[in-house]
Coordinates of all heavy atoms in Angstrom, one line a residue:
E24 N 107.5 113.9 90.0 CA 106.2 114.5 89.7 C 106.1 114.6 88.1 O 105.0 114.5 87.6 CB 106.0 115.8 90.3 CG 105.9 115.8 91.8 CD 105.8 117.2 92.4 OE1 106.0 118.2 91.7 OE2 105.4 117.3 93.6
T25 N 107.2 114.8 87.4 CA 107.1 114.9 86.0 C 106.9 113.6 85.3 O 106.4 113.5 84.2 CB 108.5 115.5 85.5 OG1 108.7 116.8 86.1 CG2 108.4 115.7 84.0
G26 N 107.1 112.5 86.0 CA 106.8 111.2 85.5 C 107.9 110.1 85.6 O 107.7 109.0 85.2
A27 N 109.0 110.5 86.2 CA 110.1 109.5 86.4 C 109.7 108.4 87.4 O 109.1 108.7 88.4 CB 111.4 110.1 86.8
D28 N 109.9 107.1 87.0 CA 109.6 106.0 87.9 C 110.6 106.0 89.1 O 110.2 105.7 90.2 CB 109.6 104.7 87.2 CG 108.6 104.7 86.1 OD1 107.4 104.6 86.4 OD2 108.9 104.8 84.9
V29 N 111.9 106.2 88.8 CA 112.9 106.2 89.8 C 113.8 107.3 89.6 O 114.2 107.6 88.4 CB 113.7 104.8 89.8 CG1 114.8 104.8 90.8 CG2 112.8 103.6 89.9
V30 N 114.2 108.0 90.7 CA 115.1 109.2 90.5 C 116.3 109.0 91.5 O 116.1 108.8 92.7 CB 114.4 110.5 90.8 CG1 115.4 111.7 90.5 CG2 113.2 110.7 90.0
F31 N 117.5 109.2 91.0 CA 118.7 109.1 91.8 C 119.3 110.5 92.0 O 119.4 111.3 91.0 CB 119.8 108.2 91.1 CG 119.3 106.8 90.7 CD1 119.0 106.5 89.4 CD2 119.1 105.9 91.7 CE1 118.6 105.3 89.0 CE2 118.6 104.6 91.3 CZ 118.4 104.3 90.0
D32 N 119.7 110.8 93.2 CA 120.3 112.0 93.5 C 121.8 111.9 93.4 O 122.4 111.2 94.2 CB 119.9 112.4 95.0 CG 120.4 113.9 95.3 OD1 121.2 114.4 94.6 OD2 119.8 114.4 96.3
R33 N 122.4 112.5 92.4 CA 123.8 112.4 92.1 C 124.7 112.9 93.3 O 125.8 112.6 93.4 CB 124.2 113.0 90.8 CG 124.1 114.5 90.8 CD 124.6 115.1 89.5 NE 124.5 116.5 89.4 CZ 125.3 117.4 89.9 NH1 126.4 116.9 90.6 NH2 125.2 118.7 89.8
L34 N 124.1 113.8 94.1 CA 124.8 114.3 95.2 C 125.0 113.3 96.4 O 125.9 113.5 97.2 CB 124.1 115.6 95.8 CG 123.9 116.7 94.8 CD1 123.2 117.9 95.5 CD2 125.2 117.2 94.2
E35 N 124.3 112.2 96.3 CA 124.4 111.2 97.3 C 125.3 110.1 97.0 O 125.5 109.1 97.7 CB 123.0 110.6 97.6 CG 122.0 111.6 98.2 CD 120.6 111.0 98.5 OE1 120.4 109.9 98.2 OE2 119.8 111.7 99.1
G36 N 125.9 110.2 95.8 CA 126.9 109.1 95.4 C 126.6 108.7 93.9 O 125.7 109.2 93.3
P37 N 127.5 107.7 93.4 CA 127.4 107.3 92.0 C 126.0 106.7 91.7 O 125.5 105.8 92.5 CB 128.5 106.2 91.9 CG 129.4 106.6 93.0 CD 128.6 107.1 94.1
F38 N 125.3 107.1 90.7 CA 124.0 106.6 90.3 C 124.1 105.2 89.7 O 123.2 104.5 89.6 CB 123.3 107.5 89.4 CG 124.0 107.9 88.1 CD1 123.9 107.1 87.0 CD2 124.7 109.1 88.0 CE1 124.6 107.4 85.8 CE2 125.3 109.5 86.8 CZ 125.3 108.6 85.7
L39 N 125.3 104.8 89.3 CA 125.5 103.5 88.7 C 125.1 102.4 89.6 O 124.4 101.4 89.2 CB 127.0 103.3 88.3 CG 127.5 101.9 87.9 CD1 126.7 101.5 86.6 CD2 129.0 101.9 87.6
D40 N 125.4 102.5 90.9 CA 125.0 101.5 91.9 C 123.5 101.4 92.0 O 122.9 100.3 92.1 CB 125.6 101.9 93.3 CG 127.1 101.9 93.3 OD1 127.7 101.2 92.4 OD2 127.7 102.6 94.1
G41 N 122.8 102.6 92.0 CA 121.4 102.6 92.0 C 120.8 101.9 90.8 O 119.8 101.2 90.9
V42 N 121.3 102.2 89.6 CA 120.8 101.6 88.4 C 120.9 100.1 88.4 O 120.0 99.3 88.1 CB 121.5 102.2 87.2 CG1 121.1 101.5 85.9 CG2 121.1 103.7 87.0
R43 N 122.1 99.6 88.8 CA 122.3 98.2 88.9 C 121.4 97.5 89.9 O 120.8 96.4 89.6 CB 123.8 97.9 89.3 CG 124.8 98.1 88.2 CD 126.2 98.0 88.7 NE 127.1 98.0 87.5 CZ 128.5 98.1 87.7 NH1 129.0 98.2 88.9 NH2 129.2 98.1 86.6
A44 N 121.1 98.2 91.0 CA 120.2 97.6 92.0 C 118.8 97.6 91.5 O 118.1 96.6 91.6 CB 120.3 98.4 93.3
E45 N 118.4 98.7 90.9 CA 117.0 98.8 90.4 C 116.7 97.9 89.2 O 115.6 97.4 89.1 CB 116.8 100.3 89.9 CG 115.4 100.6 89.6 CD 114.4 100.5 90.8 OE1 114.9 100.8 91.9 OE2 113.2 100.2 90.5
T46 N 117.7 97.5 88.4 CA 117.5 96.6 87.3 C 118.0 95.2 87.5 O 118.1 94.4 86.6 CB 118.2 97.2 86.0 OG1 119.7 97.3 86.3 CG2 117.7 98.6 85.7
E47 N 118.3 94.9 88.8 CA 118.8 93.6 89.2 C 120.1 93.2 88.4 O 120.2 92.1 88.0 CB 117.7 92.6 89.1 CG 116.5 92.9 90.0 CD 115.4 91.8 89.9 OE1 115.4 91.1 88.9 OE2 114.6 91.8 90.8
G48 N 120.9 94.2 88.2 CA 122.2 93.9 87.5 C 122.1 94.0 86.0 O 123.2 93.9 85.3
R49 N 121.0 94.1 85.4 CA 120.8 94.0 83.9 C 121.3 95.3 83.3 O 122.0 95.2 82.2 CB 119.4 93.7 83.6 CG 119.1 93.7 82.0 CD 117.6 93.6 81.8 NE 117.3 93.5 80.3 CZ 117.2 94.6 79.5 NH1 117.4 95.8 80.1 NH2 117.0 94.5 78.3
G50 N 121.0 96.4 83.8 CA 121.2 97.7 83.2 C 120.0 98.1 82.3 O 119.0 97.4 82.2
V51 N 120.1 99.4 81.8 CA 119.0 99.9 81.1 C 119.2 99.8 79.6 O 120.4 99.6 79.1 CB 118.8 101.4 81.4 CG1 118.4 101.6 82.8 CG2 120.1 102.2 81.1
D52 N 118.1 99.8 78.8 CA 118.2 99.7 77.4 C 118.8 100.9 76.7 O 119.5 100.8 75.7 CB 116.9 99.4 76.8 CG 116.3 98.1 77.3 OD1 116.8 97.0 77.0 OD2 115.3 98.2 78.1
L53 N 118.5 102.1 77.2 CA 118.9 103.3 76.6 C 119.3 104.3 77.7 O 118.6 104.5 78.7 CB 117.7 103.9 75.8 CG 117.9 105.2 75.1 CD1 119.0 105.2 74.1 CD2 116.5 105.7 74.5
V54 N 120.4 105.1 77.4 CA 120.8 106.2 78.2 C 120.7 107.5 77.4 O 121.2 107.5 76.3 CB 122.2 106.1 78.8 CG1 122.6 107.4 79.5 CG2 122.3 104.9 79.8
L55 N 120.0 108.5 77.9 CA 119.9 109.8 77.2 C 120.7 110.8 78.0 O 120.3 111.1 79.2 CB 118.5 110.2 77.1 CG 118.2 111.5 76.2 CD1 118.7 111.3 74.8 CD2 116.8 111.9 76.3
D56 N 121.8 111.2 77.5 CA 122.8 112.0 78.3 C 123.0 113.4 77.7 O 123.3 113.5 76.5 CB 124.1 111.3 78.5 CG 125.1 112.1 79.3 OD1 124.7 112.4 80.5 OD2 126.2 112.4 78.8
S57 N 123.0 114.4 78.6 CA 123.4 115.8 78.2 C 124.5 116.3 79.0 O 125.0 117.4 78.8 CB 122.2 116.7 78.3 OG 121.8 116.8 79.6
V58 N 124.9 115.6 80.0 CA 125.9 116.0 81.0 C 127.3 115.9 80.5 O 128.2 116.8 80.7 CB 125.7 115.3 82.4 CG1 126.8 115.7 83.4 CG2 124.3 115.5 82.9
G59 N 127.6 114.8 79.8 CA 128.9 114.7 79.2 C 130.0 114.1 80.1 O 129.8 113.1 80.7

């Protein structure tokens, strides 16, 4: 609702797999991380 196009629930497993599937293996241009 805030505006994200795709949201992964980290409680359901590694989000890396979802990112790879969503970007057809390319990956994203930028990661903004605060979790560490």
Side-chain angles (χ1 to χ4, degrees):
E24 291 178 350
T25 304
D28 296 288
V29 180
V30 186
F31 306 106
D32 188 341
R33 67 176 179 80
L34 300 181
E35 296 182 352
F38 57 83
L39 172 59
D40 297 336
V42 171
R43 284 175 170 167
E45 188 64 32
T46 62
E47 298 181 342
R49 177 185 181 276
V51 295
D52 300 290
L53 176 65
V54 171
L55 187 63
D56 180 58
S57 64
V58 178

